[in-house]
Amino acid sequence: MALARAFSVAIVGVHGRLVEVEADLANGLPAFTLVGLPDAALHEARERIRAAIVNSGQAWPSQRITVGLFPATLPKSGSGFDVAMAAAVLGAAATIPPTSLHGRVLLGELALDGRLRPVRGVLPAVLAALGAGLERVVVPEANGAEAALVPGAVVEPVKDLDCLVRLLRGEFTPGPPSMITMNSLQASVEDVGDLADVAGQSRGRLAVEVAAAGGHHLFMQGPPGSGKTMLAERLPGLLPALDTEAALEVTAVHSVAGLLPADCPLVVRPPFRSPHHSATPGALVGAGSTVLRPGLASQAHRGVLFLDEAPEFARLTLDALRQPLESGVIELARARISARFPARFLLVLAANPCPCARAGGAGARLCDCPSLVRRRYLSRLSGPLLDRVDLQVELAAPSRAELRADYNYAETSAVVAKRVQSARDAAACRLAGTPWRTSAEIPGPALRRLWPLPTSVTRLADRVFESGQLTARGLDRVLRIAWTLADLAGVACPGPTQLGMALDLRLPGRSQ
Protein backbone atom coordinates (compact mmCIF):
# COMPACT_ATOMS: atom_id res chain seq x y z
CA MET A 1 0.00 0.00 0.00
CA ALA A 2 1.25 3.51 -0.87
CA LEU A 3 -0.16 6.86 0.25
CA ALA A 4 0.48 10.43 -0.86
CA ARG A 5 -1.08 13.74 0.15
CA ALA A 6 -1.58 16.99 -1.78
CA PHE A 7 -3.52 20.19 -1.13
CA SER A 8 -6.09 22.16 -3.08
CA VAL A 9 -8.79 24.74 -2.27
CA ALA A 10 -12.59 24.65 -2.41
CA ILE A 11 -14.38 27.95 -3.04
CA VAL A 12 -17.41 28.69 -0.87
CA GLY A 13 -18.93 32.00 -1.85
CA VAL A 14 -15.89 34.21 -2.41
CA HIS A 15 -13.77 32.54 0.26
CA GLY A 16 -11.46 29.54 -0.01
CA ARG A 17 -11.33 26.46 2.21
CA LEU A 18 -8.19 24.30 2.22
CA VAL A 19 -8.86 20.74 1.02
CA GLU A 20 -6.54 17.82 1.69
CA VAL A 21 -6.34 15.38 -1.22
CA GLU A 22 -5.15 11.87 -0.31
CA ALA A 23 -4.43 9.07 -2.77
CA ASP A 24 -4.10 5.46 -1.64
CA LEU A 25 -2.85 2.62 -3.87
CA ALA A 26 -3.75 -0.89 -2.73
CA ASN A 27 -3.59 -4.39 -4.17
CA GLY A 28 -6.69 -5.65 -5.92
CA LEU A 29 -8.56 -5.25 -9.17
CA PRO A 30 -7.80 -1.92 -10.88
CA ALA A 31 -10.42 0.63 -9.86
CA PHE A 32 -10.74 4.33 -9.02
CA THR A 33 -12.88 5.40 -6.07
CA LEU A 34 -13.46 9.06 -5.16
CA VAL A 35 -14.85 9.99 -1.74
CA GLY A 36 -15.47 13.24 0.15
CA LEU A 37 -18.76 14.74 -1.14
CA PRO A 38 -17.71 15.28 -4.77
CA ASP A 39 -20.19 16.59 -7.34
CA ALA A 40 -20.76 15.30 -10.88
CA ALA A 41 -17.84 17.28 -12.34
CA LEU A 42 -15.50 15.78 -9.76
CA HIS A 43 -16.76 12.26 -10.45
CA GLU A 44 -15.78 12.79 -14.09
CA ALA A 45 -12.28 13.82 -12.98
CA ARG A 46 -11.06 10.21 -12.82
CA GLU A 47 -11.36 9.89 -16.61
CA ARG A 48 -9.68 13.24 -17.21
CA ILE A 49 -6.84 12.41 -14.79
CA ARG A 50 -6.20 9.00 -16.30
CA ALA A 51 -6.12 10.31 -19.87
CA ALA A 52 -3.91 13.28 -18.90
CA ILE A 53 -1.38 11.10 -17.06
CA VAL A 54 -1.15 8.54 -19.87
CA ASN A 55 -0.95 11.21 -22.61
CA SER A 56 1.83 12.94 -20.67
CA GLY A 57 3.98 9.82 -20.92
CA GLN A 58 3.53 8.61 -17.35
CA ALA A 59 2.33 5.18 -16.23
CA TRP A 60 -1.16 4.79 -14.80
CA PRO A 61 -1.07 2.56 -11.69
CA SER A 62 -2.78 -0.78 -12.31
CA GLN A 63 -3.99 -0.99 -8.72
CA ARG A 64 -6.99 -0.14 -6.63
CA ILE A 65 -6.90 3.67 -6.27
CA THR A 66 -8.84 5.53 -3.60
CA VAL A 67 -8.80 9.32 -3.57
CA GLY A 68 -10.25 11.15 -0.58
CA LEU A 69 -11.09 14.84 -0.30
CA PHE A 70 -11.08 16.18 3.26
CA PRO A 71 -12.85 17.63 5.17
CA ALA A 72 -15.37 15.08 3.98
CA THR A 73 -18.32 17.16 5.22
CA LEU A 74 -17.55 20.08 2.90
CA PRO A 75 -19.34 19.84 -0.49
CA LYS A 76 -16.84 20.07 -3.33
CA SER A 77 -17.52 21.01 -6.91
CA GLY A 78 -15.84 21.88 -10.16
CA SER A 79 -12.75 20.72 -11.97
CA GLY A 80 -10.18 22.75 -10.02
CA PHE A 81 -9.10 19.68 -8.01
CA ASP A 82 -7.82 17.79 -11.08
CA VAL A 83 -4.16 18.78 -10.72
CA ALA A 84 -4.02 18.03 -6.99
CA MET A 85 -5.64 14.61 -7.47
CA ALA A 86 -3.30 13.73 -10.35
CA ALA A 87 -0.27 14.79 -8.28
CA ALA A 88 -1.47 12.72 -5.30
CA VAL A 89 -1.89 9.65 -7.52
CA LEU A 90 1.57 10.14 -9.05
CA GLY A 91 3.03 10.65 -5.59
CA ALA A 92 1.47 7.44 -4.31
CA ALA A 93 2.86 5.63 -7.35
CA ALA A 94 6.35 7.07 -6.63
CA THR A 95 6.42 8.79 -10.03
CA ILE A 96 7.17 11.98 -8.13
CA PRO A 97 8.57 12.33 -4.60
CA PRO A 98 5.62 12.55 -2.20
CA THR A 99 7.59 15.05 -0.12
CA SER A 100 7.56 17.50 -3.04
CA LEU A 101 3.83 17.99 -2.42
CA HIS A 102 4.39 19.29 1.10
CA GLY A 103 3.86 23.01 1.45
CA ARG A 104 2.26 23.37 -2.00
CA VAL A 105 -1.29 24.03 -3.11
CA LEU A 106 -2.20 22.78 -6.59
CA LEU A 107 -4.99 24.33 -8.65
CA GLY A 108 -6.19 23.71 -12.18
CA GLU A 109 -8.24 21.60 -14.55
CA LEU A 110 -6.63 18.94 -16.72
CA ALA A 111 -7.24 18.56 -20.43
CA LEU A 112 -7.09 15.05 -21.86
CA ASP A 113 -3.69 15.78 -23.41
CA GLY A 114 -2.26 16.93 -20.08
CA ARG A 115 -2.57 20.70 -20.51
CA LEU A 116 -3.58 22.74 -17.46
CA ARG A 117 -6.71 24.75 -18.15
CA PRO A 118 -7.55 27.91 -16.17
CA VAL A 119 -10.16 27.75 -13.41
CA ARG A 120 -12.36 30.20 -11.52
CA GLY A 121 -11.64 31.60 -8.10
CA VAL A 122 -7.84 31.52 -8.17
CA LEU A 123 -7.47 34.79 -6.23
CA PRO A 124 -9.52 33.70 -3.18
CA ALA A 125 -7.90 30.25 -3.43
CA VAL A 126 -4.40 31.72 -3.15
CA LEU A 127 -5.52 33.91 -0.24
CA ALA A 128 -6.83 30.80 1.52
CA ALA A 129 -3.56 28.96 0.87
CA LEU A 130 -1.53 31.74 2.47
CA GLY A 131 -3.96 31.85 5.37
CA ALA A 132 -3.27 28.16 5.95
CA GLY A 133 0.49 28.72 5.90
CA LEU A 134 1.13 27.33 2.40
CA GLU A 135 3.07 29.84 0.34
CA ARG A 136 3.82 27.87 -2.85
CA VAL A 137 0.92 27.70 -5.29
CA VAL A 138 0.91 25.80 -8.59
CA VAL A 139 -1.55 27.27 -11.10
CA PRO A 140 -2.17 27.07 -14.86
CA GLU A 141 -0.19 29.62 -16.85
CA ALA A 142 -3.37 31.50 -17.77
CA ASN A 143 -4.06 32.08 -14.05
CA GLY A 144 -0.51 33.12 -13.19
CA ALA A 145 -1.07 36.88 -13.32
CA GLU A 146 -4.19 36.62 -11.16
CA ALA A 147 -2.42 34.48 -8.55
CA ALA A 148 0.50 36.90 -8.46
CA LEU A 149 -1.81 39.66 -7.19
CA VAL A 150 -1.60 38.16 -3.68
CA PRO A 151 1.41 39.54 -1.77
CA GLY A 152 3.64 36.85 -0.28
CA ALA A 153 2.55 34.01 -2.56
CA VAL A 154 5.20 32.04 -4.45
CA VAL A 155 3.38 31.36 -7.70
CA GLU A 156 4.52 28.49 -9.94
CA PRO A 157 2.67 28.68 -13.28
CA VAL A 158 2.90 25.53 -15.39
CA LYS A 159 1.44 24.79 -18.81
CA ASP A 160 0.95 21.01 -18.65
CA LEU A 161 1.25 17.89 -16.52
CA ASP A 162 4.70 17.05 -17.90
CA CYS A 163 6.04 20.39 -16.65
CA LEU A 164 4.40 19.76 -13.29
CA VAL A 165 6.07 16.34 -12.96
CA ARG A 166 9.47 17.81 -13.79
CA LEU A 167 8.84 20.68 -11.35
CA LEU A 168 8.03 18.29 -8.52
CA ARG A 169 11.10 16.19 -9.38
CA GLY A 170 13.28 19.28 -9.18
CA GLU A 171 14.12 19.18 -12.90
CA PHE A 172 12.24 22.33 -13.95
CA THR A 173 11.89 25.88 -12.65
CA PRO A 174 8.88 27.81 -13.99
CA GLY A 175 9.32 31.41 -15.05
CA PRO A 176 7.76 34.17 -12.96
CA PRO A 177 4.16 35.09 -13.76
CA SER A 178 3.58 38.30 -15.66
CA MET A 179 3.32 41.18 -13.22
CA ILE A 180 0.37 43.55 -13.30
CA THR A 181 0.79 47.27 -12.75
CA MET A 182 -2.04 49.57 -11.76
CA ASN A 183 -1.11 52.03 -14.52
CA SER A 184 -1.52 49.38 -17.20
CA LEU A 185 -5.04 48.65 -16.01
CA GLN A 186 -6.48 52.15 -15.63
CA ALA A 187 -9.70 52.28 -17.64
CA SER A 188 -10.41 55.53 -19.44
CA VAL A 189 -13.43 57.58 -18.46
CA GLU A 190 -14.41 57.74 -22.12
CA ASP A 191 -15.40 54.08 -21.92
CA VAL A 192 -18.54 55.07 -19.97
CA GLY A 193 -19.33 58.32 -21.77
CA ASP A 194 -19.00 61.88 -20.59
CA LEU A 195 -21.42 63.82 -18.42
CA ALA A 196 -21.15 66.73 -20.86
CA ASP A 197 -23.24 64.67 -23.30
CA VAL A 198 -26.33 65.18 -21.13
CA ALA A 199 -28.37 68.18 -22.33
CA GLY A 200 -29.55 70.40 -19.49
CA GLN A 201 -30.78 68.44 -16.46
CA SER A 202 -28.96 70.44 -13.80
CA ARG A 203 -31.03 68.65 -11.17
CA GLY A 204 -30.16 65.22 -12.53
CA ARG A 205 -26.48 66.13 -12.80
CA LEU A 206 -26.49 67.29 -9.16
CA ALA A 207 -28.17 64.03 -8.11
CA VAL A 208 -25.56 61.79 -9.77
CA GLU A 209 -22.75 63.94 -8.36
CA VAL A 210 -24.13 63.60 -4.83
CA ALA A 211 -24.70 59.87 -5.39
CA ALA A 212 -21.08 59.41 -6.49
CA ALA A 213 -19.65 61.54 -3.67
CA GLY A 214 -21.52 59.83 -0.84
CA GLY A 215 -22.37 56.40 -2.25
CA HIS A 216 -26.09 57.21 -2.10
CA HIS A 217 -28.70 55.12 -3.92
CA LEU A 218 -30.64 57.05 -6.56
CA PHE A 219 -34.14 56.90 -8.06
CA MET A 220 -34.87 58.98 -11.16
CA GLN A 221 -38.38 59.42 -12.52
CA GLY A 222 -39.14 61.19 -15.76
CA PRO A 223 -40.50 60.87 -19.29
CA PRO A 224 -38.53 59.23 -22.13
CA GLY A 225 -35.71 61.44 -23.35
CA SER A 226 -35.17 63.16 -20.02
CA GLY A 227 -31.69 61.65 -19.72
CA LYS A 228 -32.23 59.03 -17.00
CA THR A 229 -30.26 56.30 -18.76
CA MET A 230 -27.49 58.64 -19.90
CA LEU A 231 -27.00 59.95 -16.36
CA ALA A 232 -26.88 56.44 -14.91
CA GLU A 233 -24.41 55.19 -17.52
CA ARG A 234 -22.07 58.11 -16.82
CA LEU A 235 -22.15 57.68 -13.07
CA PRO A 236 -19.26 55.12 -12.99
CA GLY A 237 -17.04 57.73 -14.66
CA LEU A 238 -17.52 60.00 -11.62
CA LEU A 239 -16.48 57.37 -9.08
CA PRO A 240 -12.86 57.22 -7.89
CA ALA A 241 -10.71 54.29 -8.97
CA LEU A 242 -10.74 51.37 -6.56
CA ASP A 243 -8.04 51.27 -3.93
CA THR A 244 -6.00 48.10 -3.49
CA GLU A 245 -8.29 46.55 -0.88
CA ALA A 246 -11.47 47.25 -2.85
CA ALA A 247 -9.84 46.12 -6.11
CA LEU A 248 -8.97 42.74 -4.59
CA GLU A 249 -12.52 42.39 -3.18
CA VAL A 250 -14.10 43.11 -6.56
CA THR A 251 -11.58 40.94 -8.41
CA ALA A 252 -12.32 38.00 -6.10
CA VAL A 253 -16.04 38.25 -6.89
CA HIS A 254 -15.41 38.46 -10.64
CA SER A 255 -12.94 35.58 -10.45
CA VAL A 256 -15.49 33.30 -8.78
CA ALA A 257 -18.10 34.39 -11.32
CA GLY A 258 -15.72 33.58 -14.19
CA LEU A 259 -15.75 37.16 -15.52
CA LEU A 260 -12.04 38.02 -15.39
CA PRO A 261 -10.46 38.41 -18.83
CA ALA A 262 -7.05 36.79 -19.21
CA ASP A 263 -5.40 40.09 -20.19
CA CYS A 264 -6.88 42.09 -17.29
CA PRO A 265 -6.87 40.03 -14.07
CA LEU A 266 -7.35 42.97 -11.70
CA VAL A 267 -10.48 45.14 -11.62
CA VAL A 268 -9.42 48.72 -10.87
CA ARG A 269 -12.50 50.66 -12.02
CA PRO A 270 -15.93 50.47 -10.30
CA PRO A 271 -18.01 47.87 -12.16
CA PHE A 272 -21.31 48.67 -13.85
CA ARG A 273 -24.16 46.18 -14.23
CA SER A 274 -27.47 46.85 -16.00
CA PRO A 275 -29.64 43.70 -16.13
CA HIS A 276 -32.68 43.25 -18.36
CA HIS A 277 -36.03 43.63 -16.60
CA SER A 278 -36.68 39.89 -17.03
CA ALA A 279 -33.88 39.07 -14.54
CA THR A 280 -34.91 36.64 -11.79
CA PRO A 281 -34.17 37.05 -8.08
CA GLY A 282 -31.49 34.37 -8.41
CA ALA A 283 -29.80 36.23 -11.24
CA LEU A 284 -29.73 39.37 -9.14
CA VAL A 285 -28.61 38.08 -5.73
CA GLY A 286 -26.98 34.76 -6.68
CA ALA A 287 -28.16 31.22 -7.10
CA GLY A 288 -27.17 27.57 -7.04
CA SER A 289 -27.95 24.42 -5.09
CA THR A 290 -24.50 22.92 -4.43
CA VAL A 291 -22.41 25.64 -6.12
CA LEU A 292 -23.41 29.17 -5.11
CA ARG A 293 -22.39 31.80 -7.65
CA PRO A 294 -22.47 35.59 -7.13
CA GLY A 295 -25.36 37.40 -8.80
CA LEU A 296 -25.41 40.75 -10.55
CA ALA A 297 -25.70 42.64 -7.26
CA SER A 298 -22.42 41.14 -6.03
CA GLN A 299 -20.81 41.63 -9.42
CA ALA A 300 -21.60 45.34 -8.99
CA HIS A 301 -19.81 45.43 -5.59
CA ARG A 302 -18.11 48.83 -5.12
CA GLY A 303 -19.72 49.93 -8.38
CA VAL A 304 -23.15 50.68 -9.86
CA LEU A 305 -26.20 48.45 -10.30
CA PHE A 306 -28.60 50.15 -12.72
CA LEU A 307 -32.19 48.95 -13.09
CA ASP A 308 -33.69 50.74 -16.08
CA GLU A 309 -37.49 50.67 -16.37
CA ALA A 310 -37.52 49.53 -12.75
CA PRO A 311 -41.32 49.00 -12.48
CA GLU A 312 -41.05 46.36 -15.21
CA PHE A 313 -38.95 44.14 -12.93
CA ALA A 314 -40.81 41.50 -10.95
CA ARG A 315 -41.79 42.68 -7.46
CA LEU A 316 -40.02 39.67 -5.92
CA THR A 317 -36.82 40.53 -7.79
CA LEU A 318 -36.80 44.12 -6.59
CA ASP A 319 -37.60 43.27 -2.99
CA ALA A 320 -34.70 40.80 -2.93
CA LEU A 321 -32.47 43.88 -2.84
CA ARG A 322 -33.85 45.22 0.44
CA GLN A 323 -31.46 43.37 2.74
CA PRO A 324 -28.23 44.03 0.78
CA LEU A 325 -29.12 47.71 0.47
CA GLU A 326 -28.89 47.93 4.25
CA SER A 327 -26.07 45.51 5.06
CA GLY A 328 -23.91 45.48 1.92
CA VAL A 329 -23.82 41.68 2.10
CA ILE A 330 -25.88 38.91 0.50
CA GLU A 331 -26.25 35.73 2.51
CA LEU A 332 -27.44 32.66 0.60
CA ALA A 333 -28.41 29.49 2.43
CA ARG A 334 -29.19 26.12 0.88
CA ALA A 335 -29.77 22.70 2.37
CA ARG A 336 -26.12 21.63 2.11
CA ILE A 337 -24.20 24.88 1.87
CA SER A 338 -24.34 28.60 2.65
CA ALA A 339 -22.25 31.53 1.48
CA ARG A 340 -21.77 35.28 1.95
CA PHE A 341 -21.17 37.57 -1.01
CA PRO A 342 -20.14 41.24 -0.70
CA ALA A 343 -22.73 43.57 -2.26
CA ARG A 344 -21.87 47.17 -1.34
CA PHE A 345 -23.17 48.60 -4.61
CA LEU A 346 -24.72 51.93 -5.59
CA LEU A 347 -28.27 51.24 -6.78
CA VAL A 348 -29.76 53.43 -9.51
CA LEU A 349 -33.44 53.03 -10.41
CA ALA A 350 -35.06 54.71 -13.39
CA ALA A 351 -38.79 54.79 -14.19
CA ASN A 352 -41.27 56.47 -16.48
CA PRO A 353 -44.13 58.32 -14.75
CA CYS A 354 -46.78 55.98 -16.19
CA PRO A 355 -47.15 52.90 -18.46
CA CYS A 356 -47.61 54.97 -21.63
CA ALA A 357 -44.56 57.07 -20.67
CA ARG A 358 -46.15 60.34 -21.84
CA ALA A 359 -47.11 61.81 -18.48
CA GLY A 360 -44.84 64.59 -17.32
CA GLY A 361 -43.29 65.27 -20.73
CA ALA A 362 -44.13 67.50 -23.64
CA GLY A 363 -46.81 65.02 -24.64
CA ALA A 364 -48.49 64.96 -21.21
CA ARG A 365 -51.76 66.02 -22.77
CA LEU A 366 -51.68 62.81 -24.84
CA CYS A 367 -51.43 60.57 -21.76
CA ASP A 368 -54.64 58.60 -21.31
CA CYS A 369 -53.56 56.62 -18.22
CA PRO A 370 -56.08 56.99 -15.38
CA SER A 371 -54.66 58.06 -12.06
CA LEU A 372 -55.32 54.59 -10.64
CA VAL A 373 -53.23 53.03 -13.43
CA ARG A 374 -50.36 55.43 -12.72
CA ARG A 375 -50.43 54.65 -9.01
CA ARG A 376 -50.47 50.92 -9.66
CA TYR A 377 -47.56 51.26 -12.09
CA LEU A 378 -45.30 53.07 -9.65
CA SER A 379 -46.50 50.96 -6.71
CA ARG A 380 -44.56 48.07 -8.22
CA LEU A 381 -41.64 49.76 -6.48
CA SER A 382 -42.55 48.91 -2.91
CA GLY A 383 -42.48 51.52 -0.17
CA PRO A 384 -39.87 49.66 1.91
CA LEU A 385 -37.58 49.47 -1.14
CA LEU A 386 -37.87 53.17 -1.98
CA ASP A 387 -37.42 54.08 1.67
CA ARG A 388 -33.91 52.62 1.36
CA VAL A 389 -33.10 54.80 -1.67
CA ASP A 390 -31.54 58.05 -0.50
CA LEU A 391 -31.98 60.32 -3.52
CA GLN A 392 -35.32 60.53 -5.34
CA VAL A 393 -35.59 63.09 -8.11
CA GLU A 394 -38.09 63.94 -10.81
CA LEU A 395 -36.67 64.93 -14.20
CA ALA A 396 -38.42 66.92 -16.90
CA ALA A 397 -37.85 66.50 -20.60
CA PRO A 398 -35.18 68.92 -21.87
CA SER A 399 -36.33 71.97 -23.78
CA ARG A 400 -35.40 72.71 -27.37
CA ALA A 401 -33.04 75.43 -26.16
CA GLU A 402 -31.24 72.96 -23.89
CA LEU A 403 -30.87 70.47 -26.73
CA ARG A 404 -29.30 73.18 -28.88
CA ALA A 405 -27.00 74.46 -26.12
CA ASP A 406 -23.25 74.45 -26.73
CA TYR A 407 -21.79 71.36 -25.03
CA ASN A 408 -18.47 73.17 -24.59
CA TYR A 409 -19.99 75.01 -21.62
CA ALA A 410 -21.23 71.85 -19.88
CA GLU A 411 -19.13 70.39 -17.09
CA THR A 412 -17.31 67.24 -18.13
CA SER A 413 -17.05 64.04 -16.12
CA ALA A 414 -13.41 64.86 -15.34
CA VAL A 415 -14.36 68.16 -13.70
CA VAL A 416 -17.14 66.63 -11.63
CA ALA A 417 -14.98 63.61 -10.73
CA LYS A 418 -12.43 65.96 -9.13
CA ARG A 419 -15.12 67.39 -6.86
CA VAL A 420 -16.31 63.89 -6.05
CA GLN A 421 -12.76 62.86 -5.15
CA SER A 422 -12.35 65.89 -2.89
CA ALA A 423 -15.63 65.07 -1.14
CA ARG A 424 -14.55 61.45 -0.71
CA ASP A 425 -11.25 62.60 0.78
CA ALA A 426 -13.09 64.84 3.26
CA ALA A 427 -15.37 61.96 4.24
CA ALA A 428 -12.37 59.64 4.61
CA CYS A 429 -10.78 62.04 7.09
CA ARG A 430 -13.99 62.25 9.09
CA LEU A 431 -14.52 58.47 9.03
CA ALA A 432 -10.90 57.54 9.80
CA GLY A 433 -10.77 54.75 12.36
CA THR A 434 -14.30 53.54 11.57
CA PRO A 435 -15.39 50.64 9.32
CA TRP A 436 -17.25 52.97 6.93
CA ARG A 437 -15.99 54.44 3.68
CA THR A 438 -18.78 56.83 2.66
CA SER A 439 -21.55 58.83 4.31
CA ALA A 440 -24.19 56.44 2.96
CA GLU A 441 -22.71 53.52 4.91
CA ILE A 442 -22.96 55.13 8.37
CA PRO A 443 -25.73 53.59 10.50
CA GLY A 444 -28.29 56.05 11.79
CA PRO A 445 -27.50 55.63 15.53
CA ALA A 446 -23.77 56.13 14.88
CA LEU A 447 -24.48 59.20 12.73
CA ARG A 448 -26.52 60.86 15.47
CA ARG A 449 -24.12 59.86 18.25
CA LEU A 450 -20.76 60.64 16.63
CA TRP A 451 -21.73 63.63 14.47
CA PRO A 452 -24.76 65.29 16.09
CA LEU A 453 -26.21 68.39 14.47
CA PRO A 454 -27.79 71.27 16.44
CA THR A 455 -31.56 71.72 16.40
CA SER A 456 -31.14 75.01 14.54
CA VAL A 457 -29.80 73.01 11.58
CA THR A 458 -32.20 70.06 11.67
CA ARG A 459 -35.36 72.06 12.45
CA LEU A 460 -36.80 71.82 8.94
CA ALA A 461 -36.06 68.09 8.66
CA ASP A 462 -37.61 67.48 12.08
CA ARG A 463 -40.77 69.31 11.02
CA VAL A 464 -41.05 67.23 7.84
CA PHE A 465 -40.53 64.07 9.90
CA GLU A 466 -43.25 65.04 12.35
CA SER A 467 -45.65 65.69 9.47
CA GLY A 468 -45.27 62.05 8.39
CA GLN A 469 -43.54 62.77 5.07
CA LEU A 470 -40.36 61.09 6.32
CA THR A 471 -39.84 57.81 8.14
CA ALA A 472 -37.14 57.44 10.76
CA ARG A 473 -35.00 55.68 8.16
CA GLY A 474 -35.70 58.50 5.71
CA LEU A 475 -34.65 61.10 8.26
CA ASP A 476 -31.31 59.35 8.73
CA ARG A 477 -30.80 59.34 4.98
CA VAL A 478 -31.52 63.05 4.75
CA LEU A 479 -28.78 63.66 7.34
CA ARG A 480 -26.35 61.50 5.35
CA ILE A 481 -27.11 63.42 2.16
CA ALA A 482 -26.55 66.68 4.04
CA TRP A 483 -23.09 65.53 5.14
CA THR A 484 -22.24 64.63 1.53
CA LEU A 485 -23.41 68.06 0.36
CA ALA A 486 -21.20 69.62 3.02
CA ASP A 487 -18.22 67.61 1.77
CA LEU A 488 -18.91 68.76 -1.79
CA ALA A 489 -19.19 72.37 -0.62
CA GLY A 490 -15.96 72.10 1.36
CA VAL A 491 -17.54 73.00 4.71
CA ALA A 492 -16.82 71.18 7.95
CA CYS A 493 -20.44 70.61 8.96
CA PRO A 494 -23.85 70.75 7.26
CA GLY A 495 -25.91 73.89 7.75
CA PRO A 496 -29.57 74.73 7.05
CA THR A 497 -28.71 75.16 3.35
CA GLN A 498 -27.40 71.60 3.06
CA LEU A 499 -30.36 70.22 5.04
CA GLY A 500 -32.80 72.01 2.74
CA MET A 501 -31.05 70.72 -0.38
CA ALA A 502 -30.98 67.20 1.10
CA LEU A 503 -34.74 67.31 1.71
CA ASP A 504 -35.31 68.55 -1.83
CA LEU A 505 -33.27 65.65 -3.23
CA ARG A 506 -35.09 63.17 -0.99
CA LEU A 507 -38.68 64.43 -1.30
CA PRO A 508 -39.31 66.09 -4.65
CA GLY A 509 -42.48 68.17 -4.67
CA ARG A 510 -42.87 67.98 -0.89
CA SER A 511 -45.32 70.31 0.83
CA GLN A 512 -43.70 72.81 3.19
Side-chain angles (χ1 to χ4, degrees):
M1 184 178 72
L3 180 68
R5 182 180 295 108
F7 294 96
S8 191
V9 175
I11 302 298
V12 181
V14 292
H15 303 286
R17 295 276 301 275
L18 193 69
V19 172
E20 192 175 324
V21 181
E22 292 184 335
D24 174 77
L25 271 58
N27 296 327
L29 293 175
F32 188 103
T33 304
L34 181 61
V35 298
L37 282 184
D39 69 348
L42 266 175
H43 273 299
E44 295 172 355
R46 53 189 174 189
E47 305 302 332
R48 292 195 299 270
I49 292 170
R50 183 182 184 281
I53 289 178
V54 171
N55 291 328
S56 298
Q58 307 299 328
W60 178 257
S62 296
Q63 295 175 270
R64 184 176 185 84
I65 305 171
T66 303
V67 175
L69 307 175
F70 306 99
T73 56
L74 176 69
K76 303 162 192 73
S77 59
S79 55
F81 300 93
D82 287 5
V83 175
M85 289 193 291
V89 170
L90 293 174
T95 302
I96 59 174
T99 55
S100 66
L101 300 175
H102 298 170
R104 273 190 172 97
V105 167
L106 298 100
L107 307 169
E109 174 186 327
L110 284 173
L112 298 184
D113 60 359
R115 287 177 295 117
L116 267 65
R117 298 183 183 274
V119 292
R120 298 178 175 183
V122 166
L123 178 60
V126 177
L127 289 170
L130 260 65
L134 304 176
E135 297 180 352
R136 308 188 76 85
V137 184
V138 176
V139 299
E141 279 188 335
N143 291 128
E146 180 185 348
L149 295 174
V150 182
V154 180
V155 181
E156 298 174 319
V158 296
K159 65 178 181 179
D160 54 34
L161 193 58
D162 179 61
C163 289
L164 176 63
V165 170
R166 290 189 289 120
L167 168 66
L168 297 176
R169 287 174 176 172
E171 303 169 355
F172 169 72
T173 301
S178 57
M179 299 305 294
I180 303 300
T181 62
M182 296 295 285
N183 291 335
S184 67
L185 294 173
Q186 291 294 340
S188 62
V189 174
E190 288 75 17
D191 293 339
V192 294
D194 198 290
L195 198 59
D197 299 335
V198 181
Q201 295 303 357
S202 58
R203 184 178 179 81
R205 294 168 65 94
L206 173 63
V208 296
E209 181 177 343
V210 174
H216 301 286
H217 306 304
L218 171 63
F219 172 47
M220 295 181 287
Q221 179 184 337
S226 57
K228 303 185 297 296
T229 302
M230 290 185 69
L231 287 166
E233 290 176 343
R234 281 146 183 77
L235 180 53
L238 308 182
L239 297 174
L242 302 176
D243 58 28
T244 302
E245 180 184 355
L248 289 176
E249 286 179 0
V250 175
T251 301
V253 174
H254 286 225
S255 177
V256 172
L259 300 175
L260 282 182
D263 59 341
C264 187
L266 181 66
V267 181
V268 296
R269 291 295 307 171
F272 178 80
R273 291 290 180 271
S274 180
H276 189 263
H277 65 260
S278 62
T280 63
L284 212 56
V285 301
S289 54
T290 58
V291 182
L292 298 178
R293 298 293 185 198
L296 290 162
S298 292
Q299 294 170 27
H301 179 57
R302 300 297 178 190
V304 177
L305 177 64
F306 175 45
L307 304 186
D308 200 5
E309 306 294 345
E312 301 297 336
F313 283 77
R315 180 76 172 263
L316 200 61
T317 301
L318 292 172
D319 285 347
L321 294 175
R322 289 193 204 173
Q323 182 258 343
L325 286 179
E326 289 285 342
S327 65
V329 174
I330 292 176
E331 299 190 26
L332 297 181
R334 299 294 183 265
R336 298 175 60 186
I337 194 170
S338 61
R340 286 168 57 92
F341 295 104
R344 183 68 68 181
F345 54 86
L346 197 162
L347 177 66
V348 179
L349 303 172
N352 292 316
C354 67
C356 77
R358 290 192 290 265
R365 65 184 182 278
L366 302 176
C367 176
D368 55 3
C369 299
S371 59
L372 179 60
V373 172
R374 295 186 192 181
R375 288 198 300 271
R376 283 180 176 173
Y377 180 72
L378 292 177
S379 68
R380 297 178 186 178
L381 304 175
S382 68
L385 173 66
L386 288 180
D387 201 31
R388 290 167 166 83
V389 178
D390 302 14
L391 305 166
Q392 302 181 23
V393 297
E394 293 179 356
L395 305 180
S399 66
R400 184 61 177 165
E402 289 175 326
L403 291 175
R404 287 184 172 182
D406 188 352
Y407 291 150
N408 293 327
Y409 293 99
E411 283 190 320
T412 64
S413 291
V415 172
V416 179
K418 288 182 180 179
R419 287 202 300 268
V420 169
Q421 183 64 65
S422 298
R424 290 266 181 142
D425 292 341
C429 292
R430 184 172 66 253
L431 300 176
T434 71
W436 311 301
R437 290 169 172 255
T438 62
S439 298
E441 297 178 18
I442 309 173
L447 183 67
R448 294 188 296 272
R449 183 180 69 255
L450 299 177
W451 299 281
L453 296 177
T455 305
S456 59
V457 173
T458 63
R459 183 177 294 113
L460 179 58
D462 293 338
R463 188 163 66 242
V464 175
F465 170 70
E466 291 170 357
S467 70
Q469 297 180 65
L470 274 179
T471 64
R473 180 188 284 120
L475 179 59
D476 288 340
R477 295 185 182 278
V478 167
L479 297 178
R480 293 170 187 162
I481 297 170
W483 276 103
T484 299
L485 289 168
D487 293 334
L488 284 169
V491 297
C493 185
T497 300
Q498 283 75 35
L499 259 293
M501 291 177 63
L503 280 169
D504 191 47
L505 290 171
R506 171 72 183 184
L507 297 173
R510 63 186 173 87
S511 58
Q512 298 293 334

